[in-house]
Amino acid sequence: MIIAIDGPAGSGKSTVAKAVACRLGLRYLDTGAMYRSVAVAALARGIALDDEDALAHIAEKEHISFEHTEGRSQPSRVFLGAEDVTAAIRAPEADVAVSAVSRLFKVREVMVAKQREYVRGQSIVAEGRDIGTVVFPDADIKVFLTASPEERARRRAAERSYDAGSGTDPDAAPARQAETLAALLCRDHADSTREVSPLTAADDAVVIDTTSMSTEEVAERVVGLVGEVGGAVAGDVGCGAMSGRPFDEGC
């Protein structure tokens, strides 16, 4: 079984996908981490983010892998070749670079092939921006999450504060959220207007507005869809240690 969860930045798709994978005992595939790995490599090597051939070469030649602790749905670490890029792919500079990288046709072509190969013979929960429309158009369950821009900005700002730890200045929160909102709107425009695999809900996707919903409520709704379509899941992994992060977002 393949469960595809798409949506814009801050819609909660990463958190929900992890929760759904945990509940159903399925592997979780973070496709955004794959694009972020290419972006991080480009930044480290001084490669221009519009150099399509060079970036496609990285995507094709570098082995992107996930390390899983036995019995857990979520990967514990992400590797680009032998390099652990788990922290680097979540840095602010990666947030900016990944949008440019993911727009490139040749890069997406390579990544889609790798993502399809990764899930061969597995039941998985995958999240991204074109999972139900391009990567797995025959997915058993397709979900498109959305939320108001303001709520998505609040979640992303909360995530940044969580990562920063107790040293974060609470007085800076309004400015941080305003800055985050501007960045999200910019990302929305870039993702929805790109020529290659634009962000859009699949025709047969279930659209869920998560603005006023908790992670648990959204996850319950998605898990419920499995029963609605008569699906059977025989997962063999578990939750492991859930992150305890706020209603956050991946790529």
Side-chain angles (χ1 to χ4, degrees), residues 18 22 69-76 238-245:
K18 292 173 184 175
C22 166
T69 301
E70 186 175 356
R72 295 185 178 182
S73 61
Q74 298 180 44
S76 53
C239 299
M242 296 297 283
S243 69
R245 300 164 66 88

Side-chain angles (χ1 to χ4, degrees), residues 140-198:
D140 302 274
I141 303 290
K142 297 179 186 177
V143 176
F144 190 88
L145 302 183
T146 186
S148 70
E150 292 76 15
E151 173 60 15
R152 292 190 287 122
R154 186 196 65 76
R155 292 172 183 171
R156 180 57 67 85
E159 176 189 353
R160 297 293 184 231
S161 297
Y162 179 93
D163 288 338
S166 59
T168 302
D169 180 6
D171 293 335
R176 184 168 57 251
Q177 188 164 325
E179 181 180 345
T180 301
L181 176 59
L184 283 179
L185 292 175
C186 181
R187 181 73 189 273
D188 285 351
H189 177 74
D191 287 344
S192 60
T193 60
R194 67 190 183 200
E195 294 183 8
V196 182
S197 301

Side-chain angles (χ1 to χ4, degrees), residues 1 3 17-18 20-22 24-30 66-76 118-119 122-126 235-238:
M1 170 171 282
I3 299 174
K18 292 173 184 175
V20 170
C22 166
L24 296 177
L26 304 181
R27 289 289 190 196
Y28 160 71
L29 174 60
D30 183 353
F66 299 94
E67 179 180 277
H68 284 270
T69 301
E70 186 175 356
R72 295 185 178 182
S73 61
Q74 298 180 44
S76 53
Y118 177 87
V119 305
Q122 296 189 77
S123 289
I124 58 98
V125 179
D236 58 359
V237 294

Side-chain angles (χ1 to χ4, degrees), residues 14-250:
S14 176
T15 306
V16 170
K18 292 173 184 175
V20 170
C22 166
R23 288 176 179 228
L24 296 177
L26 304 181
R27 289 289 190 196
Y28 160 71
L29 174 60
D30 183 353
T31 61
M34 300 176 72
Y35 287 101
R36 284 171 174 267
S37 296
V38 175
V40 165
L43 292 173
R45 300 172 192 181
I47 297 174
L49 297 179
D50 60 353
D51 190 337
E52 186 168 7
D53 289 333
L55 292 170
H57 180 79
I58 292 175
E60 183 175 9
K61 298 302 181 182
E62 293 287 355
H63 181 57
I64 300 171
S65 60
F66 299 94
E67 179 180 277
H68 284 270
T69 301
E70 186 175 356
R72 295 185 178 182
S73 61
Q74 298 180 44
S76 53
R77 293 197 292 175
V78 182
F79 288 88
L80 181 70
E83 181 184 0
D84 185 342
V85 294
T86 308
I89 63 174
R90 300 303 176 192
E93 53 268 28
D95 286 349
V96 176
V98 69
S99 185
V101 170
S102 63
R103 292 173 66 94
L104 303 176
F105 173 77
K106 292 181 180 179
V107 173
R108 299 198 74 88
E109 188 176 41
V110 172
M111 286 303 189
V112 168
K114 287 192 172 188
Q115 289 157 11
R116 289 174 176 167
E117 180 61 30
Y118 177 87
V119 305
R120 193 180 301 277
Q122 296 189 77
S123 289
I124 58 98
V125 179
E127 56 92 356
R129 284 172 171 74
D130 63 349
I131 306 302
T133 53
V134 176
V135 184
F136 302 118
D138 297 323
D140 302 274
I141 303 290
K142 297 179 186 177
V143 176
F144 190 88
L145 302 183
T146 186
S148 70
E150 292 76 15
E151 173 60 15
R152 292 190 287 122
R154 186 196 65 76
R155 292 172 183 171
R156 180 57 67 85
E159 176 189 353
R160 297 293 184 231
S161 297
Y162 179 93
D163 288 338
S166 59
T168 302
D169 180 6
D171 293 335
R176 184 168 57 251
Q177 188 164 325
E179 181 180 345
T180 301
L181 176 59
L184 283 179
L185 292 175
C186 181
R187 181 73 189 273
D188 285 351
H189 177 74
D191 287 344
S192 60
T193 60
R194 67 190 183 200
E195 294 183 8
V196 182
S197 301
L199 171 68
T200 185
D203 291 339
D204 54 348
V206 176
V207 179
I208 302 175
D209 187 336
T210 71
T211 301
S212 59
M213 298 176 71
S214 68
T215 302
E216 290 301 310
E217 289 172 331
V218 181
E220 279 290 341
R221 178 72 180 99
V222 177
V223 170
L225 293 174
V226 177
E228 290 177 19
V229 302
V233 178
D236 58 359
V237 294
C239 299
M242 296 297 283
S243 69
R245 300 164 66 88
F247 200 150
D248 63 357
E249 173 60 33

